[in-house]
Amino acid sequence: MRTLGFLASAGLLAGCSGSYSDLEAAFARDANNAPVVANEFVVTSQKQEGLERFSAFASVRPSPGHIDLSPSLSWRRSVSIPATEVAYCSMTCFGTADPHVDLLVPRTGSLITISNKQELLDWCWAHRIPILSSADKRRWLYSGASLPPPSIYAAQFDDRSVFDKQAQQSCLGY
């Protein structure tokens, strides 16, 4: 856990040319004081080394049709990512008490990891964004592999319990 904290801090110190910059360039918006679901998010990128962690005053707000990220750093702009740009959701868990929802944004090659499991899973479900397996997520992020067609995950939307089970499997690393 200390290693993750160190890596996250190092990613934040990497400056304005890091993983968040790709999202900022594609989806920048003016900040607003919307209600928050989480006050921390981490951005990892296929294109940039390391990761960037935003916490303390950062905010995440899932809304109908989009998700808003505000890093609350004066030199960074908030972003509003349309739900149509999020190809998949997934999960990463740091133990059973620390689940995080991942959002995959292929246009920028970004993986956004956010705490607060249930509201974000509800957002993914409402927008019919399937839960990707952890293996496919890792291949996409670290090897640049293509994402599978969403149709192979279509059965997740037949029943919410199937969707939630895939989320749990992803959380466990499958």
Side-chain angles (χ1 to χ4, degrees), residues 40-147:
E40 178 177 282
F41 62 93
V42 176
V43 181
T44 312
S45 173
Q46 291 178 315
K47 302 172 187 177
Q48 309 285 339
E49 287 188 31
L51 55 88
E52 287 184 280
R53 179 178 181 220
F54 300 92
S55 58
F57 299 106
S59 66
V60 176
R61 180 179 181 241
S63 301
H66 58 93
I67 190 158
D68 298 331
L69 305 176
S70 296
S72 295
L73 298 172
S74 61
W75 67 90
R76 298 322 277 279
R77 294 186 63 195
S78 297
V79 299
S80 183
I81 304 169
T84 56
E85 293 283 347
V86 179
Y88 285 100
C89 295
S90 189
M91 288 191 67
T92 300
C93 295
F94 305 101
T96 56
D98 195 15
H100 294 74
V101 173
D102 302 316
L103 307 177
L104 284 78
V105 183
R107 177 173 159 188
T108 58
S110 304
L111 176 73
I112 305 160
T113 302
I114 308 164
S115 60
N116 190 307
K117 172 183 159 186
Q118 195 56 54
E119 287 174 277
L120 291 165
L121 284 178
D122 291 345
W123 183 85
C124 294
W125 170 261
H127 290 89
R128 295 300 193 250
I129 302 170
I131 301 291
L132 184 67
S133 73
S134 288
D136 285 337
K137 175 181 66 178
R138 287 188 300 272
R139 280 191 289 276
W140 175 77
L141 184 62
Y142 301 118
S143 302
S146 297
L147 288 169

